């Protein structure tokens, strides 16, 4: 569970000093996540791995100057993952995964920066496939 707030005041740059007031905002962000994973041995060396993450986020921005306005957004997503892991040795593994990711926009992305108003953005999503190897041999480790 993450909560953040920022009372934002932006001024024009007047030769390195604060100049005219550009914008003022109150920013609030709440992100909550839950995660579960299972690692099931199919044999001594081969494992099936599955996980799921649920995410819910709220982004609330209240602009006070130069115009008054409010943006309240809610984002929700589910990130599943399935994969296999093969233990090549006690300290080396080969793996492969397919996963889905979801990331809500940040307050900075939604607030439109130095200009009044708001950006209308959706959450970012992606599907990723990966293969790899991790291990250790003497003083050398890799991933």
């Amino acid at each position: 569970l993450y909560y953040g707030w920022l009372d934002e005041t932006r001024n024009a740059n007047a030769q390195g000093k604060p100049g005219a007031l550009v914008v003022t905002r109150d920013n609030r962000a709440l992100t909550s996540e839950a995660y579960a994973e299972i690692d099931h041995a199919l044999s001594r060396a081969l494992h099936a791995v599955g996980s799921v993450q649920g995410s819910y986020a709220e982004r609330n921005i209240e602009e006070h100057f130069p115009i008054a306005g409010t943006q309240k957004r809610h984002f929700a997503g589910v990130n599943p993952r399935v994969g296999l892991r093969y233990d090549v040795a006690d300290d080396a593994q080969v793996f492969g995964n397919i996963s889905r990711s979801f990331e809500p926009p940040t307050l900075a992305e939604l607030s439109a920066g130095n200009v009044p108003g708001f950006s209308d953005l959706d959450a970012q999503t992606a599907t990723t496939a990966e293969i790899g190897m991790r291990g250790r041999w003497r003083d050398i480790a890799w991933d």
Side-chain angles (χ1 to χ4, degrees):
L1 183 64
Y2 311 92
Y3 182 75
W5 66 93
L6 171 67
D7 296 330
E8 176 183 12
T9 301
R10 292 184 181 236
N11 295 78
N13 184 343
Q15 298 179 344
K17 297 190 185 323
L21 184 61
V22 175
V23 67
T24 61
R25 297 182 186 103
D26 294 331
N27 301 288
R28 305 290 182 260
L30 171 69
T31 303
S32 55
E33 297 175 342
Y35 179 80
E37 179 177 279
I38 187 167
D39 183 324
H40 179 70
L42 301 173
S43 71
R44 187 185 75 69
L46 183 63
H47 293 251
V49 180
S51 67
V52 65
Q53 177 190 43
S55 181
Y56 174 77
E58 294 180 8
R59 304 291 186 257
N60 299 319
I61 304 171
E62 293 182 28
E63 190 166 289
H64 304 292
F65 180 85
I67 56 173
T70 300
Q71 177 174 240
K72 293 186 178 193
R73 299 285 307 272
H74 303 266
F75 304 92
V78 175
N79 300 323
R81 178 175 65 103
V82 295
L84 292 172
R85 185 185 79 238
Y86 185 76
D87 297 329
V88 179
D90 288 341
D91 50 6
Q93 304 170 337
V94 175
F95 61 88
N97 296 298
I98 296 176
S99 59
R100 183 83 174 143
S101 62
F102 160 87
E103 182 180 338
T106 65
L107 289 168
E109 292 167 333
L110 291 171
S111 71
N114 281 339
V115 296
F118 310 106
S119 298
D120 185 24
L121 300 174
D122 292 329
Q124 175 179 289
T125 59
T127 301
T128 303
E130 67 176 336
I131 58 171
M133 185 177 189
R134 69 176 62 90
R136 175 177 289 281
W137 179 72
R138 296 187 183 181
D139 291 335
I140 300 171
W142 66 91
D143 194 348

